[in-house]
Amino acid sequence: MAFTKCYSISNGQWQWQWNAYDWDNLLKSTTMGLASGFAAGGAGGFLGGIYSGGGLAFLDKKGSLAMAANVSLFYAGKLDNFANTIGSIAGEAVHYAWGGNFRISLGGGVGIGFTTNGQIVNDTSGGIGLVNLVDAMGSLNYVGFQAANVNGGDKGLSRISYVNMGYLSGDMQNMKTAMDVINDKKRIEFNLEGEGNYGYAGEDNRTIHLNREAILADDDAELRAKLAHYTATVMHEGLHLDQHAWLAANGLEADDITLERMAYEQSTKTLALLNLRFGLNVGGSKYEDVAMAGAYFALTGDSDTLDMSGRSLKVKVDGKTTNVTIEDWTNTAKGRSNCIEGMAKALGVTPDKVLEALKRTGHYKGMSDEQIAKSLKVGETLVVRDGRVMTEEEAKGIDFGGLFNGMKSLLNKSLEWMTGLFRGKSTDLDSKLVSTLLSDVVGKPYYKGGGQMEYYPGSDGYPPKQLVNPDGSWAYFDCVGGVMYSIRKVSGLDIPPMGVNVLYSQSWLISVDEKDIREGVLGFYDYTKKGYNEGYWDHVFTIQGKDSNGQWLIITSSSSATQGGPEFVHGKTVSNRPLGGYNRHHEKKYGAIIKYKYIDWSKLSNMYTNN
């Protein structure tokens, strides 16, 4: 005898059994559970899921390896629901085969069942959730993409990572490109070769071609940088595909420079977002110079370091491809026709545009179109600029200043972000900040309010004191005064006085981990031991650079450097203090909490006016 609870297939209900086991129901219920679990686990495993915390987890395998942390697929929930729904369908199939209803739960305590004799009845005993079923059917695009790639080795896993990281960047255009790949409107192929030949947008306006080196290997020493670089490249080329599809659909044309500046803005923004969200960047890798050149080109239109095609992302080898030069031709009817048409095709324009430009050279005065075709000069060069075909001389006089006025602010921001992407690499303004501290602040005696106000009224034991010399230079500096003086001088901005705690909360200071500090980063201490107000930032110093042993040094005001004399001083500003020892001393003596922030100079300049 036993006291058991079994599910009755025949009446669709759970019931208690006080007598001997109802082996028939037990067998059928167990079979349902096994079928459901086996199907769910099988589907999940086939889609790359792993069991974690009692459920299925779907990870970006290459992204997780690159960042040494679990990175979930943005569509993981879709895959999980699909796998579980497959399990539920399998369970219901067994339920139906044993004579029960095929049940669908509509939610809210409402359900229907399909009986073995074809009837539809009310059945609230369980089954497949309709919401889950509909979602699973709507997730087939994600399932298809995942199934086609997750078991496809490094190539397939790389494709998944580029799509996932592009979507997780949060940029709307990148999200569109990622979804287009998932929906098979775009595809990623690894078929380019040659150093610097990173990416190309195919003429089919569907295929993103990448260099074979973009196939991510687990043991690649540059895995992080490569993931960042080629994610940005995919988004760069994805925008090109959209550009050309839109132009073709609307019967319009655009020059390569315009198209490329827009695409490089996209890849620059992508790199900035990946660094901001995940700390994923190309710093110190062979892709660093390419990223900086692309950001500079997006901002200025100067493409001297890049090869432009309006479709490709490639380091310059033999010069620009936005011009065409007559090097040789055959003076026959076919040669003349092919030459004019060939120039037009190379420039992406119609033959009449080429003829109009040739007439403006002054080399073919009074000639008809046919006569010009017979008299082409070797060395004749035409260029497409700002949507126009023009002579080389005309192109040299083109002003690009107004071309991108509408997005100059964003491009400036992108370039500013780019300069902060690389670990240990400072911007020019960061370097100037350190130089100013070394030349103007280091060695000056410490006095409260120094660098903040010309006259200190006195408090906290400090008597009133004039803090500037007769010539207007500062005679004293405290910790925050020296920093604020230097920021004002480097930026040329009228920034109001602020103490350490107020400085720490400024929106133009961006938090950074200690592993990512660089020259010009500010360090802050919050002293927590008795006598100090925890949660109130008490001290600020500046990262100076590294010594010959690779150890970080700082510039800071120091009470251990107290000077003699009748003046009330608390020490002076010093340089070359080892960061590690300085931190350990303040942690032990004051219970210091340590945080680091770098200056977003672009954001700072948008908040204050010039002096």
Side-chain angles (χ1 to χ4, degrees):
M1 299 293 291
F3 177 65
T4 61
K5 188 177 183 181
C6 292
Y7 180 81
S8 173
I9 298 292
S10 59
N11 62 24
Q13 294 179 352
W14 288 93
Q15 59 188 35
W16 290 105
Q17 299 289 336
W18 285 93
N19 49 8
Y21 278 114
D22 184 341
W23 292 105
D24 183 58
N25 270 326
L26 186 60
L27 171 63
K28 294 175 181 177
S29 298
T30 302
T31 307
M32 282 177 57
L34 288 173
S36 179
F38 181 80
F46 177 72
L47 294 175
I50 58 175
Y51 275 99
S52 176
L56 283 170
F58 295 89
L59 301 178
D60 178 341
K61 295 183 179 179
K62 296 296 183 181
S64 297
L65 185 62
M67 288 182 275
N70 286 343
V71 179
S72 294
L73 297 175
F74 75 88
Y75 52 94
K78 301 287 188 182
L79 301 180
D80 183 54
N81 178 69
F82 178 84
N84 286 312
T85 302
I86 291 295
S88 296
I89 292 173
E92 286 304 297
V94 172
H95 188 258
Y96 188 79
W98 283 114
N101 297 334
F102 192 100
R103 301 160 299 171
I104 297 178
S105 173
L106 305 181
V110 179
I112 59 174
F114 297 87
T115 68
T116 54
N117 61 4
Q119 300 295 312
I120 300 177
V121 298
N122 181 44
D123 189 337
T124 60
S125 61
I128 308 167
L130 180 62
V131 173
N132 302 99
L133 182 60
V134 171
D135 187 67
M137 293 173 65
S139 302
L140 294 179
N141 53 343
Y142 299 99
V143 173
F145 172 75
Q146 183 76 0
N149 289 286
V150 73
N151 298 305
D154 286 343
K155 185 181 293 186
L157 294 175
S158 299
R159 194 176 283 117
I160 289 173
S161 287
Y162 295 135
V163 167
N164 192 54
M165 297 310 298
Y167 191 96
L168 292 178
S169 73
D171 177 77
M172 294 300 292
Q173 172 62 33
N174 290 351
M175 294 167 78
K176 178 185 181 302
T177 295
M179 288 306 303
D180 282 350
V181 175
I182 285 176
N183 292 327
D184 201 32
K185 294 179 180 179
K186 292 184 175 76
R187 62 185 182 185
I188 300 172
E189 299 294 341
F190 304 89
N191 52 12
L192 299 181
E193 296 182 350
E195 182 67 27
N197 194 17
Y198 299 122
Y200 187 79
E203 280 78 5
D204 61 357
N205 288 341
R206 181 177 175 229
T207 305
I208 297 170
H209 300 274
L210 297 180
N211 196 291
R212 290 187 58 81
E213 72 167 14
I215 301 173
L216 302 170
D218 291 354
D219 59 353
D220 193 329
E222 290 198 331
L223 181 60
R224 285 176 60 89
K226 189 172 287 186
L227 177 58
H229 171 74
Y230 277 106
T231 297
T233 302
V234 168
M235 302 307 138
H236 177 116
E237 304 304 341
L239 178 60
H240 273 324
L241 293 179
D242 288 346
Q243 289 171 335
H244 288 287
W246 186 87
L247 290 169
N250 290 275
L252 300 173
E253 298 174 350
D255 67 285
D256 290 341
I257 292 293
T258 300
L259 298 179
E260 285 290 359
R261 286 184 75 176
M262 294 172 67
Y264 273 105
E265 179 204 354
Q266 193 65 35
S267 53
T268 297
K269 184 166 52 174
T270 301
L271 285 172
L273 288 169
L274 291 176
N275 185 63
L276 184 67
R277 291 173 179 263
F278 303 103
L280 192 66
N281 57 62
V282 296
S285 74
K286 69 176 185 178
Y287 308 112
E288 179 178 337
D289 289 341
V290 179
M292 293 303 294
Y296 180 74
F297 166 69
L299 180 64
T300 65
D302 182 357
S303 62
D304 285 347
T305 58
L306 298 165
D307 179 16
M308 301 291 105
S309 72
R311 288 185 179 271
S312 65
L313 176 60
K314 183 178 180 182
V315 175
K316 179 179 179 180
V317 177
D318 296 317
K320 304 172 186 176
T321 61
T322 53
N323 55 49
V324 59
T325 301
I326 299 298
E327 295 182 351
D328 191 20
W329 64 288
T330 304
N331 191 7
T332 63
K334 183 176 181 181
R336 291 190 292 272
S337 174
N338 287 348
C339 193
I340 295 292
E341 292 180 1
M343 293 179 76
K345 185 176 180 180
L347 293 171
V349 298
T350 56
D352 61 301
K353 300 293 184 183
V354 171
L355 286 166
E356 289 173 8
L358 289 172
K359 292 175 182 177
R360 294 198 301 275
T361 64
H363 301 157
Y364 311 99
K365 290 182 179 179
M367 294 185 182
S368 66
D369 293 353
E370 185 178 356
Q371 289 172 324
I372 293 174
K374 293 178 180 179
S375 308
L376 286 172
K377 297 181 180 298
V378 172
E380 195 76 82
T381 298
L382 298 181
V383 182
V384 170
R385 288 289 188 272
D386 199 16
R388 294 178 54 215
V389 181
M390 57 193 75
T391 67
E392 193 173 30
E393 292 75 20
E394 289 173 325
K396 289 177 180 178
I398 291 296
D399 177 18
F400 286 96
L403 184 60
F404 276 73
N405 282 340
M407 61 182 190
K408 187 172 182 180
S409 176
L410 179 58
L411 288 168
N412 271 300
K413 171 66 71 176
S414 297
L415 183 60
E416 187 61 47
W417 278 348
M418 284 296 298
T419 58
L421 291 181
F422 313 118
R423 184 175 302 174
K425 184 177 181 68
S426 302
T427 67
D428 289 341
L429 293 176
D430 290 328
S431 298
K432 288 179 180 178
L433 175 68
V434 171
S435 298
T436 301
L437 283 162
L438 290 172
S439 63
D440 294 9
V441 179
V442 169
K444 292 288 181 71
Y446 180 108
Y447 203 93
K448 197 173 182 68
Q452 297 280 322
M453 55 200 76
E454 295 185 3
Y455 179 81
Y456 184 71
S459 71
D460 300 331
Y462 287 76
K465 193 167 187 64
Q466 186 72 27
L467 299 180
V468 294
N469 296 316
D471 62 2
S473 63
W474 290 92
Y476 303 89
F477 290 103
D478 63 0
C479 66
V480 69
V483 169
M484 292 306 301
Y485 160 83
S486 301
I487 292 174
R488 292 188 191 99
K489 183 172 181 179
V490 169
S491 66
L493 300 173
D494 186 16
I495 307 172
M498 57 185 72
V500 178
N501 197 57
V502 174
L503 173 62
Y504 180 85
S505 65
Q506 296 303 298
S507 62
W508 44 270
L509 288 181
I510 311 300
S511 295
V512 63
D513 291 336
E514 183 170 351
K515 68 179 186 302
D516 296 323
I517 60 175
R518 60 175 187 260
E519 178 188 31
V521 165
L522 304 182
F524 292 85
Y525 286 158
D526 173 12
Y527 299 145
T528 62
K529 286 196 173 180
K530 187 176 180 180
Y532 292 96
N533 183 8
E534 185 173 351
Y536 187 94
W537 296 93
D538 301 281
H539 180 61
V540 61
F541 57 88
T542 308
I543 302 297
Q544 176 182 343
K546 289 185 176 180
D547 63 14
S548 58
N549 296 318
Q551 303 300 308
W552 286 108
L553 303 174
I554 66 170
I555 300 170
T556 181
S557 58
S558 173
S559 60
S560 62
T562 302
Q563 298 176 331
E567 299 179 275
F568 186 96
V569 294
H570 192 58
K572 65 179 180 181
T573 301
V574 297
S575 59
N576 297 314
R577 286 290 174 91
L579 173 63
Y582 197 73
N583 282 346
R584 287 191 294 273
H585 169 74
H586 283 79
E587 286 174 322
K588 182 178 180 180
K589 186 173 182 180
Y590 302 106
I593 296 173
I594 308 166
K595 296 290 184 182
Y596 300 94
K597 294 194 173 189
Y598 69 86
I599 300 171
D600 184 331
W601 295 97
S602 177
K603 183 176 287 188
L604 177 67
S605 66
N606 290 331
M607 293 186 66
Y608 300 105
T609 58
N610 292 330
N611 291 325

